[in-house]
Amino acid sequence: MGAKVTTIGFDADDTLWQNEQFFQLTQARFTALLADFADPDHLSERLLAAERRNLGHYGFGIKGFTLSMIETALDVTDGKVPGHVIRALVDAGQEMLSHPIELLPHAKRVIAELARSHNILLITKGDLLDQERKLAQSGLGDFFDGIEIVSDKTPAVYLSAFARFGGVAQGLMVGNSLRSDVLPALEAGAWAIHVPHTLTWSYEHAVPPVDHLKFRTLGDLSQLPNCLADLPQI
């Protein structure tokens, strides 16, 4: 008989609160600002390529996204982008960094409920200051027994996060990203529950591991407590 789940890790962005919608709104603004220099599809491709290329330099988050927008603007205009466009992109990034938190439906109720019976962890990636800001505004901080803000999510990150709470075999990760929240958690030996968001950055897409015994998909967070109760011990 396997170990019972005693510790639940939650992703933050687009699992507990809105995030990607603000990136998409800002990208639309970016496209409008550069409409005289390139068509929208070309700009989107160039920006995504810059974001992927720059992950090793800037990591995940708004600051890296803003720098990638500026780099793309310089590239598609051969360095002739007007100063007011650069200023507008900087302003857009700063607005994203100050946007109020919008909790997703059921997030607070479900975490409060599960915190009475499980260890609750926040395991999120991105810019440290921005994630700390969002956590503080969310009103969820007191429910977490541990907080991990990491540069990327790997099997080693999950092994380390769950090690202080009985080990990864007793751990379960909940998140909207197959690439970051599901696949590395399963590889580490934890359970993984995918809660899709209507907006997910294409970088985070992956093929769902539908045949994995420790993988589940839910429609929203309200289904999580019943799902946990039904998990077999394997």
Side-chain angles (χ1 to χ4, degrees), residues 11-21 101-111 138 140 175-176 195-199 220-222:
D11 170 54
D13 294 337
D14 294 320
T15 298
L16 300 179
W17 51 69
Q18 299 284 7
N19 181 64
E20 179 62 20
Q21 68 177 20
I101 286 300
E102 296 180 17
L103 286 179
L104 284 165
H106 317 295
K108 186 169 186 177
R109 177 182 63 78
V110 168
I111 284 187
S138 72
L140 302 177
N176 73 296
V195 185
H197 189 279
T198 53
L199 301 174
D220 59 55
L221 286 175
S222 69

Side-chain angles (χ1 to χ4, degrees), residues 26-185:
T26 301
Q27 186 166 332
R29 186 171 172 182
F30 165 79
T31 300
L33 285 165
L34 292 169
D36 292 338
F37 300 95
D39 65 78
D41 289 342
H42 180 64
L43 282 170
S44 295
E45 292 172 3
R46 294 289 293 269
L47 178 56
L48 178 59
E51 289 180 272
R52 289 175 176 268
R53 186 171 62 247
N54 289 331
L55 283 174
H57 299 294
Y58 310 136
F60 295 87
I62 294 169
K63 294 174 185 176
F65 175 65
T66 303
L67 289 170
S68 293
M69 286 195 297
I70 293 171
E71 178 182 327
T72 303
L74 289 166
D75 288 345
V76 300
T77 64
D78 294 323
K80 299 181 175 114
V81 57
H84 71 85
V85 172
I86 299 295
R87 167 51 63 189
L89 295 177
V90 172
D91 289 345
Q94 291 178 342
E95 287 174 19
M96 291 176 72
L97 287 167
S98 61
H99 199 283
I101 286 300
E102 296 180 17
L103 286 179
L104 284 165
H106 317 295
K108 186 169 186 177
R109 177 182 63 78
V110 168
I111 284 187
E113 176 183 342
L114 294 177
R116 295 195 291 267
S117 55
H118 294 75
N119 302 308
I120 304 296
L121 309 181
L122 184 72
I123 306 175
T124 185
K125 66 184 180 185
D127 180 78
L128 177 63
L129 291 177
D130 188 38
Q131 294 292 47
E132 288 181 336
R133 173 190 69 85
K134 290 189 282 191
L135 177 59
Q137 288 187 7
S138 72
L140 302 177
D142 289 343
F143 294 114
F144 294 110
D145 299 290
I147 296 170
E148 303 280 346
I149 300 174
V150 298
S151 59
D152 200 1
K153 292 177 178 176
T154 64
V157 163
Y158 290 112
L159 284 167
S160 176
F162 289 117
R164 294 181 291 116
F165 298 92
V168 73
Q170 295 174 270
L172 178 147
M173 184 63 189
V174 180
N176 73 296
S177 169
L178 288 165
R179 179 170 183 155
S180 295
D181 303 318
V182 170
L183 297 181

